[in-house]
Amino acid sequence: MHITFNDPNLAPLAEKVEKRERLDFEDGLTLYTSRDILGIGKLADHVRRQRHGKRAYYVYNQHLNYTNVCANRCRFCAYARDEGESGAFTFTLEDVRRQLLSRIDEPITELHVVGGLNPALGFDYYMDLLRTLKEIRPHATIKAFTAVEIDYLSKLSGLSISETIGQLKAAGLAMMPGGGAEVISARIHHKLFPRKIDGDRWLEIIEAVHEAGIVTNATMLYGHIENAAERVNHLIRVRELQDKTRGFSAFIPLAFHSKNTRLSHLPATTAFDDLKNIAAARLMLDNFDHIKAYWVMIGEKLAQVALNFGADDLDGTIIEEKITHMAGARSAKGLTREAMEGMIRAAGFSPVERDSFYHPAAAPKRDQRPGMEISEERKETRYSFPIPSRALPPGPISEEEALSLFRNADLLDLGKIAHSRRMALHPEKIVTFVVDRNINYTNICTSGCRFCAFYRSPGDPGGYRISNESLKQKIEETLALGGTQILLQGGMNPDLCLEDYKEMLRFIKERFPIHIHGFSPPEIFFIAKKEGISVEAVLTALIDAGLNSIPGGGAEILVDEIRK
């Protein structure tokens, strides 16, 4: 293994990984405090590929959230309601039956069942729920109830944890998800969920569940008020239990969504944090076979990237999931098998549909969507020209070299190559940004581009041209928020002439000290053609009226065949 790191503190960790030595607490802190995300990713990717090669797993599953009435009311939860509160619900067994039968023609492999701690439900309800699931889906794995629910059911039934598990197994329980272990930290427990079982109790219950022969997942909810040390401690505690029981199937980092919670003031997790958490889990949890990138929480696109940062599983198709989406997740509420496999192939991996226990659910599918084929060169990560130390030589590269990188380069290698070029150009490590506002002055357009949802043809309902009053209000709001620029773009409106554009620019400049970044090349060309003058003449007139710079819009792809 040869990895170059921007952070020299990662090199000793790489040596330990290469020797298959376990990373300790200080190593974990190094991972979480390092800013070398590509180096960490490459190290985690090395471990992931040793275990799974190019395979990436998913399961065809359906969620069933049977009630959101819950006595705990944890501060981070957007799902829970009190009985009688607006939005509260509890499924009857007939509701459950109806929901399952509505998708009975789909090849569901797994039923994922979790809910709140509803004081109105007796132990018999849970037993009957499992029996109903088993009756309607006899071949699906019933993955149900967190450790929090098991603790509650034990108290409800008056039975020990092991006896409670025995009863539930007899009714159809085959596996458990990993929820309830938000962070194994007494500080977090006290602040966010004092009514809930604490981390030690969660581990105690999971150990009993494993001893009873039930496999579970492990999770960690991150991105709320926990710190790096608490994350590392969480990973080490579940790793210690895995050493003891070998009962964990996979680890799932869960990105916190704060919308509709009592922590709604907290910002969303960043892609940087999401990828680092996945990579750290892969490196720290040496006794876990699988690390999931739960696409529902981090989005489909980032989940694809996470396959290069240590994740080997995208979880499932997630039909009818409620808990995460009630907290603001913006992902789709269900994906087809084809969509899941397309996501995986597009990332350069081979999809493997599995059951809950990572057995292949069906014979491998050899059909591929057009354009998704993976060349042998890409699989082997070969380059057609030498790149010393994974850095490009100075100066422009050739078209052949660029095409070779695009087709064949490993994602993280390509990232490091691009980063080295960026640092050669900008060694000061400054990242620029501008506070601006896009103002679309008209959506009436004669181009009729097939990819565009914005435009309206002349005379269509919904067509508009911005008024001076609306333009003034938008710029005032921009300046009030610290903005320094507006991006002014619109459609090719046949009712506008050059004088209209000049008047709009003068109206802005006479009133506001703001940079006008406006009019893409197609707009400039449209004005010139309409006026019967040169492009140079149009530019001179617009600059004289107040135009400061021009955006790059209209360059969707500079290949004439595709543009036509």
Side-chain angles (χ1 to χ4, degrees):
M1 174 178 61
H2 176 70
I3 301 174
T4 56
F5 295 106
N6 294 326
D7 180 357
N9 293 319
L10 295 176
L13 275 65
E15 291 182 14
K16 294 179 77 170
V17 169
E18 185 70 5
K19 295 176 182 177
R20 299 183 182 273
E21 295 178 7
R22 174 165 282 184
L23 302 187
D24 59 24
F25 182 85
E26 294 301 324
D27 296 327
L29 285 181
T30 298
L31 289 172
Y32 275 110
T33 55
S34 174
R35 309 305 293 174
D36 186 3
I37 186 65
L38 291 173
I40 294 170
K42 193 64 182 175
L43 189 56
D45 184 58
H46 172 76
V47 175
R48 177 246 193 274
R49 289 175 190 261
Q50 281 186 323
R51 289 173 176 261
H52 303 291
K54 301 286 281 187
R55 296 185 299 278
Y57 304 92
Y58 76 96
V59 65
Y60 202 96
N61 65 354
Q62 179 176 0
H63 276 220
L64 180 73
N65 302 127
Y66 56 90
T67 184
N68 66 345
V69 176
C70 186
N72 279 343
R73 299 309 302 263
C74 305
R75 290 184 62 198
F76 61 79
C77 183
Y79 174 72
R81 298 290 186 275
D82 291 326
E83 185 67 54
E85 184 181 351
S86 176
F89 71 87
T90 300
F91 286 174
T92 66
L93 294 178
E94 188 54 39
D95 293 331
V96 172
R97 181 180 296 275
R98 189 162 40 248
Q99 186 163 319
L100 293 182
L101 289 175
S102 70
R103 298 185 180 275
I104 198 63
D105 293 332
E106 298 183 37
I108 303 296
T109 304
E110 174 185 280
L111 295 173
H112 184 115
V113 184
V114 292
L117 307 186
N118 188 338
L121 299 179
F123 187 68
D124 288 346
Y125 172 89
Y126 295 88
M127 295 291 287
D128 290 340
L129 172 63
L130 292 171
R131 294 185 186 109
T132 300
L133 298 174
K134 195 66 178 174
E135 172 195 343
I136 298 174
R137 286 287 188 182
H139 302 297
T141 299
I142 300 175
K143 184 169 75 175
F145 311 139
T146 65
V148 178
E149 289 166 278
I150 295 297
D151 180 73
Y152 175 75
L153 292 177
S154 174
K155 295 172 182 174
L156 199 62
S157 66
L159 303 172
S160 67
I161 294 294
S162 59
E163 290 171 330
T164 301
I165 288 293
Q167 294 274 335
L168 298 173
K169 280 180 68 174
L173 180 67
M175 187 179 178
M176 281 174 48
E182 285 70 29
V183 171
I184 300 172
S185 160
R187 182 184 75 90
I188 302 294
H189 180 269
H190 176 72
K191 286 182 174 293
L192 297 188
F193 41 92
R195 297 180 185 175
K196 203 173 196 176
I197 62 171
D198 62 19
D200 289 337
R201 179 61 173 162
W202 186 91
L203 291 165
E204 180 184 331
I205 291 170
I206 291 296
E207 181 175 353
V209 169
H210 290 173
E211 289 175 351
I214 295 286
V215 173
T216 76
N217 289 324
T219 61
M220 176 172 68
L221 187 72
Y222 66 92
H224 41 88
I225 65 170
E226 85 291 352
N227 57 41
E230 286 165 331
R231 291 192 194 184
V232 176
N233 181 63
H234 184 107
L235 294 174
I236 289 175
R237 294 291 299 278
V238 297
R239 186 174 72 183
E240 289 171 348
L241 183 56
Q242 179 76 329
D243 281 341
K244 189 174 183 179
T245 68
R246 295 290 167 176
F248 287 121
S249 176
F251 181 79
I252 315 169
L254 301 175
F256 177 58
H257 289 258
S258 65
K259 186 178 179 181
N260 301 322
T261 75
R262 283 179 281 173
L263 299 175
S264 58
H265 61 284
L266 295 177
T269 62
T270 64
F272 187 94
D273 198 23
D274 293 331
L275 293 174
K276 181 185 280 191
N277 218 42
I278 289 167
R282 179 62 287 164
L283 293 168
M284 294 293 295
L285 299 179
D286 53 4
N287 53 5
F288 276 69
D289 284 335
H290 302 285
I291 306 295
K292 292 187 183 182
Y294 191 42
W295 67 266
V296 173
M297 282 186 156
I298 63 174
E300 298 95 316
K301 291 180 180 179
L302 192 58
Q304 284 180 306
V305 177
L307 291 173
N308 294 273
F309 280 75
D312 61 273
D313 191 313
L314 296 185
D315 204 80
T317 48
I318 318 294
I319 300 167
E320 296 167 350
E321 194 278 339
K322 298 183 188 300
I323 295 175
T324 306
H325 285 94
M326 289 176 73
R330 297 181 178 180
S331 54
K333 291 193 177 182
L335 289 179
T336 63
R337 175 184 282 106
E338 291 72 24
M340 291 291 295
E341 297 202 348
M343 284 167 59
I344 292 168
R345 287 197 181 99
F349 291 83
S350 302
V352 178
E353 184 181 352
R354 61 170 176 83
D355 65 13
S356 300
F357 305 100
Y358 286 89
H359 304 129
K365 298 175 178 61
R366 299 188 180 277
D367 57 312
Q368 292 189 345
R369 301 167 85 185
M372 296 290 189
E373 293 82 3
I374 303 169
S375 68
E376 289 302 314
E377 289 85 1
R378 183 172 177 180
K379 289 178 181 177
E380 297 176 16
T381 317
R382 291 206 301 261
Y383 299 88
S384 63
F385 66 102
I387 307 175
S389 301
R390 289 291 189 259
L392 289 176
I397 63 175
S398 68
E399 182 176 341
E400 179 186 359
E401 290 168 339
L403 192 59
S404 177
L405 280 174
F406 190 82
R407 285 178 170 169
N408 304 326
D410 171 89
L411 178 65
L412 294 176
D413 280 343
L414 185 59
K416 292 185 77 67
I417 293 166
H419 183 67
S420 69
R421 171 58 61 89
R422 172 250 195 272
M423 291 307 297
L425 292 169
H426 305 285
E428 68 283 353
K429 291 188 176 181
I430 291 174
V431 178
T432 61
F433 69 96
V434 65
V435 179
D436 74 351
R437 181 173 191 165
N438 283 25
I439 300 178
N440 303 119
Y441 58 88
T442 183
N443 67 343
I444 297 170
C445 188
T446 57
S447 280
C449 303
R450 293 177 63 189
F451 62 79
C452 182
F454 170 71
Y455 84 95
R456 296 294 182 271
S457 296
D460 281 355
Y464 70 84
R465 175 186 172 186
I466 197 168
S467 67
N468 282 346
E469 183 56 37
S470 179
L471 183 60
K472 178 174 177 288
Q473 179 184 343
K474 288 177 182 290
I475 297 174
E476 287 173 342
E477 291 170 351
T478 304
L479 291 171
L481 293 170
T484 58
Q485 172 180 290
I486 57 168
L487 194 158
L488 201 61
Q489 280 188 297
M492 298 175 198
N493 188 335
D495 293 332
L496 297 181
C497 63
L498 177 58
E499 192 59 34
D500 293 318
Y501 293 94
K502 290 165 60 179
E503 286 181 6
M504 181 163 52
L505 291 169
R506 285 194 291 262
F507 175 83
I508 296 169
K509 282 296 185 178
E510 288 170 1
R511 288 162 178 79
F512 303 107
I514 199 162
H515 184 103
I516 302 176
H517 187 58
F519 312 130
S520 64
E523 291 166 89
I524 300 293
F525 184 79
F526 172 76
I527 297 169
K529 186 176 180 181
K530 187 175 188 297
E531 298 290 334
I533 59 177
S534 69
V535 166
E536 289 79 5
V538 172
L539 288 170
T540 298
L542 294 177
I543 291 168
D544 288 344
L547 182 65
N548 298 112
S549 58
I550 292 175
E556 287 74 26
I557 191 165
L558 299 179
V559 177
D560 287 341
E561 181 182 355
I562 304 298
R563 291 181 74 86
K564 289 176 183 177

